[in-house]
Amino acid sequence: MIGRVIWFALLIGAAVITIGVQLDREARKTPALALEVPEPFRSGAQPRIVALAIDAGASEMAVSQAQKLVRRRPVPARHLRLLAQAQFTAGDNEASGLAIQYAAQRGWRDPLAQEAMMQIALAAGNRSEAARRFAALFLRGGTDRASLEQSGKVVFPEEHGEERRVFAQIVSGGERWHNAFLTRGARVMPADAFVEIIEISAKDGTNFSCSALRQAQKVIEGKDQTLGERLSIVLQSQC
């Protein structure tokens, strides 16, 4: 008899766990279900709960739930960014600023964190830091072209600016994304900044793919003949 009771209890426990885990999984697709997920099973549901509270303007709940999210899973940058958003909604700008900085340092693939940090850096006049955040957004395939074009004009406004050298250092240090930089950069970055960054990188010893560099030169030449000629000099020296 006792064995049967234990058996039924185990079955019920397994059923509860299965339902909780399944609800949590569904909450990732359907945010409205997040609040229905039992507390012990909130994994994917917890970020949804925070986002719902932020959208509803429930600042105290948003901060409380975001803090709980970060305590449970402190590593993901997205969780820190949600905490920053919740704190900003609650009017705690200082704490929000710190949280978004930590999020940006931790998660180069979180576009909202990088966008926020880029704007903070620009507001502070630190275009070198803004260039690093622009690089994070640039490397992310999902960042739309219009956003990069608009940001690039603000981040790289001046010839010989330190921000251009910083970006050139990033390019030089990442051989695996040279082609992506040449292909995308020629289209979304200010043409003069793009050419100068290539010149700096080449001078520092970076070797670009001749075919990708040649294609970039054609794109730039279509925008500005003089800049196209400058890029031709790099092309001739490397190819």
Side-chain angles (χ1 to χ4, degrees):
M1 182 68 178
I2 295 177
R4 183 176 296 179
V5 171
I6 294 174
W7 173 248
F8 279 119
L10 289 172
L11 286 178
I12 292 171
V16 170
I17 292 173
T18 301
I19 292 171
V21 171
Q22 188 61 36
L23 270 175
D24 181 69
R25 188 174 299 165
E26 287 299 317
R28 299 180 185 186
K29 303 175 184 177
T30 310
L33 289 175
L35 291 170
E36 305 300 325
V37 180
E39 181 77 25
F41 302 104
R42 289 177 179 174
S43 177
Q46 190 65 29
R48 299 292 189 185
I49 291 172
V50 177
L52 287 170
I54 292 172
D55 290 343
S59 57
E60 290 186 9
M61 177 183 175
V63 171
S64 173
Q65 293 296 329
Q67 289 172 338
K68 186 180 294 183
L69 172 64
V70 172
R71 283 196 301 270
R72 288 178 177 176
R73 297 181 63 195
V75 174
R78 178 182 175 228
H79 297 174
L80 282 168
R81 189 250 298 162
L82 283 170
L83 175 60
Q85 288 178 275
Q87 290 168 330
F88 182 80
T89 301
D92 193 346
N93 294 342
E94 184 176 352
S96 176
L98 287 173
I100 200 67
Q101 288 180 56
Y102 285 128
Q105 290 168 3
R106 187 173 296 176
W108 279 72
R109 294 185 179 182
D110 187 333
L112 293 181
Q114 297 304 328
E115 176 70 30
M117 274 305 300
M118 184 174 68
Q119 295 304 328
I120 290 171
L122 287 171
N126 188 348
R127 286 204 295 269
S128 293
E129 183 61 25
R132 296 185 184 94
R133 303 308 166 186
F134 180 88
L137 293 167
F138 183 95
L139 282 168
R140 191 176 169 277
T143 307
D144 67 276
R145 176 172 176 171
S147 176
L148 290 173
E149 288 177 344
Q150 183 176 3
S151 299
K153 293 175 183 177
V154 182
V155 175
F156 305 103
E158 299 174 358
E159 190 175 5
H160 308 310
E162 179 61 25
E163 66 277 2
R164 298 188 180 190
R165 176 159 290 280
V166 168
F167 199 88
Q169 290 172 348
I170 295 173
V171 171
S172 298
E175 184 176 350
R176 290 182 297 177
W177 70 288
H178 284 174
N179 286 356
F181 165 68
L182 291 173
T183 302
R184 198 177 196 191
R187 290 171 170 77
V188 304
M189 295 182 70
D192 63 317
F194 175 74
V195 172
E196 185 176 358
I197 288 167
I198 290 178
E199 290 173 334
I200 294 171
S201 299
K203 186 177 181 179
D204 289 344
T206 301
N207 291 311
F208 294 103
S209 160
C210 290
S211 59
L213 187 57
R214 189 172 292 108
Q215 186 61 39
Q217 190 273 333
K218 291 180 180 178
V219 173
I220 295 300
E221 191 174 42
K223 296 180 178 181
D224 187 300
Q225 185 69 33
T226 301
L227 291 174
E229 291 173 358
R230 283 173 55 183
L231 206 49
S232 292
I233 296 173
V234 179
L235 184 62
Q236 290 170 11
S237 68
Q238 292 209 347
C239 305

